[in-house]
Amino acid sequence: MSQIINTPQVHLIGEVKGAYGFETDRLFCKFNVRVGHNWTLLSGKDAGETYEEIKEETEEYIIWDHPFDIHYKAKTIRGWPKFFVEVWQIDSEGRYSISGYGIATVPFTPGQHKMQIKCWRPRPQGFWKRVASRILGIQPELQFKDMLLSSAERFGFEAETTGTVEIDVGVIVKDFQLHGVELYTEI
Amino acid sequence: MFAGGSLYAEQVDPGYEHVGAGNQFLPSKRTTSGFKGFEEGINNMMDLDANTQHEQMHFQQRVDDKETEQDRLDKLRIAGNHLNFNESDEKNSGFHVMVSGHIESGQINEYDGICAKFDFISGTEWSIIEGNRTGVSQHAYKSQQTNRRVVWNYPFEIAFKSMNVNGWPQIVLTLTNRDFLGRDQVCGYGTVHVPTQPGTHTRYINLFKPISSSLISQVLGWFNGKNAEYVSPTELLARNEGREITRVQSGGVAKVQFHVTMKNMDQFGIFPFKA
């Protein structure tokens, strides 16, 4: 019999819809999908940057609608794709500063899902730094982003909550059942 | 105990899919149950080892054999897709995705008399069996009451055939209207993927307008009746590259209803929904 490739595969098809709850009106988002070592990207782009959206002051929702279509091949379950987003804001002078970091795991169940990623950003430490952040718009950024992806201790790190990013994702899986993996319970 | 290498070793030859110690999805030969199964489990591990060594010894020979089969499979593959299919069944040429629905309405504040044009964008391996890939609706005006809603109820129906899930179809909307001199100008774009789950779905497409890069071109555009518009909107919107250098402002919401059916996906082992 000829060799049949039956490695499990996962497709992620959807849009980075938009965001709400952030305090500024001009935002864009850099997102990428992180997977483990034993996962291979077969096609599609797993990183992207949306356009910069300027919303009306009376609106609540910032819309990006950035599509993605990603195809992975999986050798282990560990390393299931996670969305990692960075939301950046632009002030009236055109300066960029960070408005939130967020991370969320893609759901296992095949089908359509709406992921809501709540974001936070590092809090300026010290009274004068907070004043500077409010008046001058200087926001601290993370220099090493590995801490976001690992579950190592973060004790002592101060972060303030910002808004939420919404992602509509459709998950299509292939051949997990051939290896005895159940991704959902059948009722 | 694991003399041949740990179970999570990461140097796995990518061409060798389902054997080797680094692959967690090795088919188990025996089921172990309970404490009595412990020894069987150990034996299983030893067998795993022995298998690995055996495989490695005959690796070169296997690779040569595999090459010829792989060549044959490669000829049957189209553009690198990784679906397996029954070669005995010659008529099996892909799975089908049928989409029907309508562009129901839109809520656009500043404009009136808006015409919606839709385009279906899909990957290179997707082909259309029947239906129209593009269509233009009527010019719809708002009602006399204070209502921001514009209703088109413009139906579409299209059936795709493909061998590869990549390039899942998307619908791109381009809204145009006529200014006071009767010239057509673009007043919004929007895009959404066709839902990947069969059934009825309602999607709200957020619409946006590109902003001119300078004030002068915006003023001149108002005089000429040409707002800032994209040269090839379907290219820009459906791909996700090149978006970060454009600036846009939001322009309303459009509501689209989809009815999606699929055929033959289970033959490929693809599950788009919780079965």
Side-chain angles (χ1 to χ4, degrees), chain B residues 2 25 37-38 44 54 58 74-75 115 118 145 147 156 159 186 191 200 261 265 273:
Chain B
F2 304 106
F25 290 102
F38 185 67
N44 205 2
H54 185 258
H58 296 273
D74 275 341
K75 282 190 211 136
C115 159
F118 72 84
Q145 305 136 21
N147 199 348
F156 52 82
V186 169
T191 178
T200 307
T261 333
M265 274 219 172
F273 58 96

Side-chain angles (χ1 to χ4, degrees), chain A residues 3, chain B residues 58-71:
Chain A
Q3 169 162 7
Chain B
H58 296 273
F59 183 79
Q60 196 51 45
Q61 182 186 3
R62 283 287 194 99
V63 163
D64 288 342
D65 279 347
K66 204 179 73 138
E67 280 301 309
T68 52
E69 290 183 10
Q70 199 63 26
D71 283 343

Side-chain angles (χ1 to χ4, degrees), chain A residues 1-9 11 13-15 17 26 28 31 37-38 42-45 47-56 59 61 63-71 73-78 109-113 168-179 181 184-187, chain B residues 8-10 12-18 22-25 66 69-70 72-73 77 82-84 87 109-110 148 164-168 170 190-197 201 203-208 211 230 237-241 243-244 246-250 252 265 268-275:
Chain A
M1 191 57 218
S2 59
Q3 169 162 7
I4 294 182
I5 302 168
N6 54 6
T7 316
Q9 295 166 35
H11 292 264
I13 295 165
E15 285 90 29
K17 271 305 242 198
R26 273 177 85 164
F28 71 92
F31 69 93
H37 289 297
N38 280 332
L42 290 178
S43 77
K45 295 187 116 170
E49 204 173 303
T50 67
Y51 43 60
E52 177 190 310
E53 164 92 6
I54 307 172
K55 76 166 169 71
E56 312 281 325
E59 297 284 324
Y61 201 82
I63 305 135
W64 294 312
D65 257 353
H66 191 105
F68 54 85
D69 188 342
I70 311 170
H71 184 190
K73 180 173 81 167
K75 288 207 168 81
T76 56
I77 296 183
R78 185 161 185 248
T109 318
Q112 292 279 142
H113 301 276
D168 263 349
V169 65
V171 179
I172 299 183
V173 298
K174 179 182 182 315
D175 285 344
F176 274 89
Q177 82 284 2
L178 295 179
H179 298 277
V181 175
Y184 50 87
T185 50
E186 301 176 25
I187 300 171
Chain B
Y8 296 94
E10 283 164 20
V12 177
D13 181 17
Y16 228 93
E17 304 287 348
H18 55 280
N23 193 330
Q24 193 177 343
F25 290 102
K66 204 179 73 138
E69 290 183 10
Q70 199 63 26
R72 194 169 68 84
L73 278 179
R77 269 202 230 164
H82 291 261
L83 298 174
N84 48 321
E87 286 139 16
N109 293 342
E110 304 100 33
R148 294 182 299 173
N164 197 352
V165 178
N166 287 325
W168 193 269
Q170 291 171 267
T191 178
V192 79
H193 278 277
V194 166
T196 55
Q197 202 169 342
H201 305 266
R203 288 281 181 269
Y204 293 92
I205 304 184
N206 297 302
L207 304 163
F208 60 89
I211 300 176
Y230 291 129
L237 296 176
R239 320 271 174 260
N240 56 0
E241 40 203 291
R243 283 176 156 228
E244 60 262 15
T246 64
R247 290 185 307 154
V248 297
Q249 67 188 50
S250 41
M265 274 219 172
F268 289 87
I270 306 176
F271 289 93
F273 58 96
K274 200 165 122 162

